[in-house]
Amino acid sequence: MDQLLHASSFGAAATAYAEHRPDYARAAVRWALEPAPGLRVLDLGAGTGKLTATLVAVGADVTAVEPDAAMLTELRRVLPDVRALPGSAEAIPLPDGSVDAVLAGNAMHWFDMAVAGPEIARVLVPGGILSGLWNVMDDRVDWVAGLARVSGSAAIGPRDTPTGWRAETARAHLPKAGAARFGAPEQAGFPHGQRRTADSLVATLATRAGMLVMPDPERDVALGRIRAFLTSRPETTDGEFTLPMLTCVLRVRRLPAVPPQPGVPTG
């Protein structure tokens, strides 16, 4: 129930999400697509189109699928030439074997992979690629580590720093079974950054799911604590600065389905 509440929290903040969430490092997107047999790409859980725009920029033929109507409206406004459909990871509105890669930007952890895994495998060609991408804060930088400590897990959670991300996403794909059989995961990180001010970084953190579902008084206190930290640090107190980030990628290949063994029931 908590996961469903968090996953459905973004629509009310669709405009703020589009304004403040970062894009994705192009090198990360290219690495995610590198082994794919072609460039027909599904952006699954596309949100307002942050990853979609980067996929277009690297030359992919993109279809975006997003369950939230407000997010989908914003995506269509920003990227009117992209095919954008209502749907979810658990019910993908595409034919069998119609895409070479499925990518998900900061969304794969919301999928019910017991249902979504077979659906993703269904729309992928054999040998197609499933990649999840996450923008994380580089807490190897001292002030970023301090920000993570001050912010709390609602704003900067276990997937939002490199070490935590590796542990949290290592198994974010389906076990090797039946039609949804995927290969061993590969993980990689690519340098990225976002130009922010103290105000815009506070606004960015306010779009995190944990913050969106927080009662207003608690959220105000948490955001005030973050703002006070940013105004106390020389790196962030005056004007624009670059927030050090990584775009981290989990990549797996769709393997051929295991043929049924003679005499073994398949139902």
Side-chain angles (χ1 to χ4, degrees):
M1 182 63 72
D2 283 348
Q3 180 163 336
L4 180 61
L5 177 65
H6 282 68
S8 62
S9 64
F10 297 109
T15 302
Y17 191 104
E19 180 180 355
H20 294 294
R21 285 295 184 101
D23 62 2
Y24 294 83
R26 290 193 184 187
V29 174
R30 292 191 183 99
W31 186 85
L33 294 174
E34 185 180 33
L39 285 176
R40 296 173 303 167
V41 180
L42 167 61
D43 182 2
L44 190 55
T48 61
K50 293 291 185 175
L51 177 57
T52 314
T54 308
L55 285 164
V56 170
V58 302
D61 175 15
V62 189
T63 298
V65 168
E66 166 57 37
D68 187 275
M71 292 286 215
L72 193 61
T73 296
E74 185 66 22
L75 189 155
R76 287 170 170 162
R77 184 187 70 79
V78 175
L79 298 167
D81 296 331
V82 170
R83 183 189 185 202
L85 305 173
S88 68
E90 296 78 19
I92 300 172
L94 295 179
D96 296 1
S98 57
V99 295
D100 302 298
V102 174
L103 270 63
N106 277 81
M108 194 171 166
H109 51 277
W110 301 123
F111 300 167
D112 176 1
M113 289 302 288
V115 181
E119 267 292 89
I120 291 167
R122 178 184 67 79
V123 301
L124 276 171
V125 297
I129 295 297
L130 167 63
S131 288
L133 295 90
W134 288 263
N135 280 318
V136 307
M137 296 188 182
D138 191 352
D139 63 351
R140 297 170 298 183
V141 177
D142 180 65
W143 75 262
V144 179
L147 175 64
R149 288 191 297 270
V150 164
S151 298
S153 61
I156 301 179
R159 283 182 304 271
D160 297 328
T161 56
T163 301
W165 172 84
R166 285 190 174 275
E168 288 286 319
T169 63
R171 299 180 183 276
H173 64 290
L174 225 69
K176 299 174 183 177
R181 191 168 174 236
F182 290 93
E186 301 173 88
Q187 292 177 311
F190 299 84
H192 197 31
Q194 185 185 25
R195 293 296 288 173
R196 297 280 80 184
T197 63
D199 285 344
S200 65
L201 182 49
V202 170
T204 300
L205 294 175
T207 68
R208 300 296 179 93
M211 301 296 286
L212 291 172
V213 300
M214 191 179 286
D216 288 347
E218 291 181 30
R219 182 169 58 248
D220 291 344
V221 169
L223 293 175
R225 187 170 63 244
I226 293 167
R227 188 184 304 277
F229 173 83
L230 293 173
T231 56
S232 75
R233 294 289 306 210
E235 301 92 341
T236 57
T237 189
D238 187 23
E240 282 197 338
F241 54 88
T242 297
L243 173 64
M245 304 174 69
L246 298 170
T247 297
C248 292
V249 188
L250 172 76
R251 183 175 76 182
V252 293
R253 184 185 294 274
R254 183 201 188 280
L255 302 177
V258 179
Q261 299 298 311
V264 177
T266 59

